Amino acid sequence: MVKNQLEGAGMKTAVYFGGTFDPIHQEHIRVCDLAYNEVRPDKLMLAPAPDGLCKRAAASAEQRLQMCRIAARDRPWLEVSDIEIKQNVRYSADALFHLLEQGEYSKIWFLLGEDQFSTLPQWRGWERIVEIADILAVRRNGELLFPENTARAEHLLQQASARVRWLDETPAAVSSSKIRKDLLEGKRPQGLSDTVFAYILESGLYKGSLLDRSAAPAILRKAR
């Protein structure tokens, strides 16, 4: 049924990249650039997860959505989607099915890191994921962090006739958790764009931050 729906869809290609993005940082954008340059989709979709799914998220779904929009402004092919938030999607398989139902794309890629890939066969509805989408998996420096689990996952995906393409990246030492920690300690985080940083200050996100909100306008002027 999925194949029939794709055959009847438009001729466009999409890459789907879901996550918490709390906050979105420059490493997320680097992965988007890498994926875009590899498969040249019509759209690469950033899809923040809904609040109920992100129990540890410090920012609300709407705030994370806005930060993604700010981060994506200078890339016309990068679209920030609220599909998971509006539909209150709990599982990636459901998000991809909603995208498929729109009938706009004849090919969908599902973008994820090796850590997620290594556990993909444990996800609810993973068979639907690989039926709807091809997998675009990112490994760091061309090496596997979880070789045994990744090999096991790849074997199971091959048995399910999944199509997998690997991308190699040279990662920076950036993570959302480290950014939140730096903000709480009053430090200027590395790997955070000026515009997203200014939004965080203006919105008073990540409570406990010792940073001065009044610095936001100056940061925005510098970014322009």
Side-chain angles (χ1 to χ4, degrees), residues 19-156:
T20 308
F21 305 120
D22 187 34
I24 189 166
H25 52 68
Q26 291 175 344
E27 190 63 19
H28 292 131
I29 299 301
R30 273 166 42 86
V31 168
C32 291
D33 287 340
L34 184 68
Y36 178 77
N37 290 329
E38 177 70 19
V39 300
R40 290 289 174 176
D42 293 281
K43 288 293 181 182
L44 193 153
M45 297 181 176
L46 279 172
D51 283 327
L53 189 63
C54 305
K55 295 180 180 179
R56 297 181 182 179
S60 70
E62 187 57 41
Q63 289 167 331
R64 290 182 284 109
L65 190 70
Q66 184 60 25
M67 285 189 283
C68 286
R69 286 171 176 154
I70 292 169
R73 280 176 181 167
D74 61 347
R75 289 167 171 80
W77 46 266
L78 188 54
E79 178 179 299
V80 179
S81 172
D82 61 1
I83 187 171
E84 294 196 16
I85 296 169
K86 274 191 173 181
Q87 301 288 342
N88 197 29
V89 168
R90 320 309 291 174
Y91 303 101
S92 296
D94 295 333
L96 291 170
F97 186 73
H98 283 305
L99 181 60
L100 175 68
E101 280 191 316
Q102 294 175 8
E104 187 175 355
Y105 299 100
S106 59
K107 186 175 185 63
I108 300 170
W109 294 89
F110 184 50
L111 177 62
L112 73 174
E114 187 225 338
D115 54 341
Q116 296 169 308
F117 178 90
S118 69
T119 64
L120 184 57
Q122 300 170 28
W123 293 17
R124 180 167 172 171
W126 72 270
E127 297 96 336
R128 290 177 71 208
I129 291 176
V130 299
E131 187 181 2
I132 293 170
D134 290 358
I135 304 299
L136 203 54
V138 180
R139 57 191 168 197
R140 298 184 174 188
N141 298 316
E143 299 177 356
L144 299 176
L145 298 177
F146 311 98
E148 292 184 7
N149 290 341
T150 298
R152 189 178 303 115
E154 198 156 20
H155 176 68
L156 289 171

Side-chain angles (χ1 to χ4, degrees), residues 126 151 153-164:
W126 72 270
E154 198 156 20
H155 176 68
L156 289 171
L157 264 63
Q158 286 174 349
Q159 288 184 324
S161 300
R163 296 162 297 278
V164 178

Side-chain angles (χ1 to χ4, degrees), residues 197-210:
F197 182 42
Y199 175 82
I200 288 171
L201 293 182
E202 288 179 328
S203 304
L205 288 180
Y206 309 110
K207 291 180 180 179
S209 174
L210 302 176

